[in-house]
Amino acid sequence: MNVLVTGGAGYIGSHAALRLLTDGHAVTIFDDLSRGNRGAVDALRPLGDLCFVEAELGDRAQLDKALTDRSIEVVMHFAAKAYVGESVEIPLQYYRANTAGALSLLEAMVACGVDRFVFSSTCATYGEPPPEHIPITERCPQRPVNPYGRSKLVVEHMLRDHLHAAGDGFAFAALRYFNVAGCDAGGRLGEDHDPETHLVPICLQAALGRRDTLTIFGTDYDTPDGTCIRDYVHVDDLIDAHVTVMDALRPGDSTAYNIGIGAGSSVREVIDASRRVTGVRFPVTEGPRRAGDPPALYADPSHVREELGWSARYTDLDEIIASAWRWFQAHPDGYGG
Ligand code: UFG
């Protein structure tokens, strides 16, 4: 198939492009490189039929050209800004990139007759679910508590409204991810954010000596060890879910799936696993809570398992971290190294 991957130079999007190329699909990456890495595109080039368009989603002329020139049949939409804290400071940029960006893309798809859309949504659309909704099913009320979550939730509404009008002329699936971690098993792609705010890469940078310490954001949560609990899903499993969903999309479909392993790990458990995997007892400091962090978020992934037969193959935190560690060891300076 001919697939447009927006954000294909980013961490998750590049792993999607890798899998699609490996499966023999023709891939067009559409990325403005504001957050993505040219090095990821370069690593993908030898692997198959890849075209790279460096442009913003607001650039309708480039979007229309990419969709028609490459006879795109399905879009996987990853391009987004994804820092919760930053979204509070510069909310309009989040609505511009995430909401208006998706609108521009959808309008271009309609104009060019492309009718299948796989959307990278987030568990942040659930906000801070009450304890009776943990683990989180897709029926949990979506009440985001930050602009990032809201900027993505509006897109889900937009897709549903468009489907209502277009009927069998459109199909979409929204994948609500939990915490994505790990790197491609072949060691070609990795995780390289600037700035880095995510727990697993920060642990590994600390193990490499690239950071003096790691701060635990809050040790007084109402959880067994006092630190926040999250559901860490391996990026290869996440992408496997995308491909499974893409293959299953039928005209008129409108679905949402929670993508996680279905179990939570605390911040302390991630630190312990990172120390075990790396063999480095990097220093850790205890600090205050980070604003907007819910105490516990993990998925009930039974809907996607029952409907599509998908479940995570990596369920062991050490294995997930080990796959990331291989890449961080080989690329201590990320794609720049
Ligand atoms: N944490 C620390 N120290 C750090 C970094 C993180 O203690 O230096 C903690 C956080 O407070 C949180 C946990 O580690 O409790 C995980 O934090 P991450 O920043 O790795 O991930 P988040 O859970 O904040 O964010 C993820 C996705 C977002 C998504 C969000 C939904 O990365 O895109 O889940 O809650 F919006």
Side-chain angles (χ1 to χ4, degrees):
M1 256 191 301
N2 300 326
V3 189
L4 184 82
V5 179
T6 74
Y11 166 48
I12 298 172
S14 62
H15 280 79
L18 170 65
R19 168 67 189 270
L20 291 165
L21 289 168
T22 310
D23 286 356
H25 298 291
V27 173
T28 303
I29 289 180
F30 197 96
D31 196 306
D32 64 4
L33 295 183
S34 59
R35 294 277 151 104
N37 294 288
R38 194 178 292 279
V41 179
D42 293 341
L44 291 165
R45 280 192 200 282
L47 302 178
D49 181 355
L50 176 72
C51 169
F52 173 47
V53 180
E54 185 178 340
E56 293 179 6
L57 286 173
D59 188 340
R60 266 298 301 279
Q62 288 280 11
L63 262 181
D64 289 13
K65 187 170 178 335
L67 290 169
T68 48
D69 282 2
R70 296 275 287 172
S71 305
I72 297 298
E73 298 163 277
V74 56
V75 171
M76 282 194 188
H77 178 41
F78 299 95
K81 290 187 189 291
Y83 295 126
V84 170
E86 185 184 69
S87 80
V88 177
E89 286 156 26
I90 46 171
L92 299 188
Q93 288 192 32
Y94 273 68
Y95 286 103
R96 164 73 53 203
N98 299 357
T99 313
L103 173 61
S104 173
L105 176 60
L106 187 55
E107 285 176 332
M109 288 172 64
V110 172
C112 299
V114 182
D115 57 9
R116 273 174 287 174
F117 194 108
V118 180
F119 175 52
S120 161
S121 189
T122 169
C123 69
T125 59
Y126 294 116
E128 297 189 18
E132 65 269 22
H133 279 293
I134 307 288
I136 302 171
T137 71
E138 291 78 1
R139 289 181 303 282
C140 175
Q142 287 179 289
R143 297 192 194 109
V145 294
N146 51 58
Y148 169 63
R150 280 188 284 272
S151 72
K152 290 268 185 174
L153 181 57
V154 173
V155 178
E156 287 199 20
H157 288 310
M158 182 172 80
L159 292 170
R160 222 166 280 125
D161 287 341
H162 175 59
L163 185 117
H164 187 69
D168 282 356
F170 186 59
F172 80 92
L175 276 63
R176 300 177 187 148
Y177 318 161
F178 285 68
N179 289 56
V180 188
C183 296
D184 131 59
R188 289 154 293 201
L189 299 175
E191 184 167 9
D192 182 2
H193 296 118
D194 185 19
E196 187 54 78
T197 62
H198 297 106
L199 181 61
V200 170
I202 286 179
C203 284
L204 300 181
Q205 287 171 351
L208 282 169
R210 299 282 162 142
R211 291 174 184 268
D212 295 337
T213 183
L214 176 154
T215 304
I216 300 179
F217 297 144
T219 52
D220 58 348
Y221 285 96
D222 185 15
T223 57
D225 69 15
T227 66
C228 288
I229 294 174
R230 295 288 182 272
D231 181 330
Y232 294 88
V233 58
H234 194 282
V235 66
D236 284 349
D237 279 334
L238 175 76
I239 298 310
D240 193 53
H242 282 73
V243 172
T244 304
V245 165
M246 177 183 85
D247 289 343
L249 264 190
R250 295 290 171 266
D253 276 356
S254 139
T255 45
Y257 298 111
N258 287 347
I259 308 296
I261 69 166
S265 303
S266 72
V267 173
R268 286 197 203 280
E269 286 170 334
V270 172
I271 292 168
D272 289 347
S274 301
R275 285 174 163 172
R276 267 195 306 275
V277 165
T278 63
V280 182
R281 206 177 160 73
F282 52 84
V284 169
T285 318
E286 295 186 0
R289 293 181 178 197
R290 186 172 70 177
D293 274 342
L297 290 174
Y298 54 96
D300 175 345
S302 51
H303 180 46
V304 64
R305 187 178 60 240
E306 283 158 16
E307 279 212 346
L308 301 177
W310 179 88
S311 59
R313 280 166 300 185
Y314 287 87
T315 52
D316 177 49
L317 186 59
D318 285 32
E319 263 190 72
I320 295 175
I321 292 175
S323 80
W325 180 232
R326 281 192 286 278
W327 195 81
F328 275 86
Q329 274 184 304
H331 303 87
D333 296 311
Y335 286 104

